[in-house]
Structures are given as structure tokens and as C-alpha cells.
Amino acid sequence: MPSTQVFFLLAATLALGAPNFASFETFGTDVLVERWHMSVANANKISSLPQGSCVLLMPLVGAVYDAVADRSHRVRGAIVGLVLFSASWMSLTHGLGPRHLTPILATVGIALGASLFFGGTWPSVPLLVDRAHLGTAYGFMTAFQNL
């Protein structure tokens, strides 16, 4: 059963979440160099972990979401992913959280958070929108992601 309200909540979550992921891609290396005193080469390696890890994690996250087969779990998973990503990013930038959380563990949290977030948002669209409006819904999602 389509749900317009849940779709727009999901789209709003994407509008808030996607820029957070983009900020890591933009500033991750700088944070690792300045805050954690890494060489640029090592910082580049670590900051590329989330993109590479997402390639491996997304199919696994998709399989878990498919096994649950409930759209509310996808939305909840997306929100949990956003929180996990944000907490990991804050631990890198501000040293919040446990002191033993190394940059590598934080970037793994970022990758897992991104996988949960994007793996929960995009596949939920056909579950929330009538088939006749699916193209428009994907257009909204793309526009919200690129805000």
C-alpha cells in the first residue's frame, strides 16, 4: 500500500543525509591530515575506504533488507545508518566518543552507515509510491539527494 507521507519523510531524510556523506568525501582527507596528523597518502587511503566498502556492503545490506521484507524496517535502517554515519564522522572531526576509536574504525562506521542509509532509501521508493508516479518519485529523490 503506497504511503505519500512516508515517501516525503524518506525524501526529506535523503535531503538531510546525502550532504553529510558528500562532506566526508570532500573533507575526509583534510580531517585525517590535520586532526590525526597523517600523511596525505595514508589519509587518502583511509578516506577512500567508505566508497570501496560500500561496493561490498550494499549487496549484503540489500539482502538483509529483502529478508526482512518490511518497508518500515528499510526506513528505520536508513535512519540508523544516518545516525551511525554522523556519529562516526563526529568522532573523526571532533574526537567525540571513545578515544580508542581509530580513524579506520570510524571510516568503517561511515561505510556501514552509508550502506544502511542508501540501501534503505532508494529501494523503498517503489514500495511507497504508486507505479504510475514512480518516475516522478525517483526524480524527487534525485533532486533531494543533490540539494
Side-chain angles (χ1 to χ4, degrees), residues 66-92:
D66 288 343
V68 172
D70 182 1
R71 69 175 170 223
S72 66
H73 285 89
R74 289 179 192 267
V75 174
R76 288 183 191 121
I79 293 169
V80 166
L82 182 59
V83 169
L84 176 61
F85 171 85
S86 298
S88 298
W89 188 212
M90 292 297 284
S91 73
L92 274 180

Side-chain angles (χ1 to χ4, degrees), residues 24-25 28-29 32 38 41-57 92 102-112 114-115:
F24 177 77
E25 292 174 355
T29 299
L32 292 170
M38 292 185 173
N42 285 339
N44 282 333
K45 289 176 188 173
I46 291 174
S47 65
S48 68
L49 284 175
Q51 292 86 356
S53 299
C54 284
V55 170
L56 300 174
L57 289 172
L92 274 180
T102 66
I104 293 175
L105 290 176
T107 53
V108 168
I110 288 168
L112 183 57
S115 298

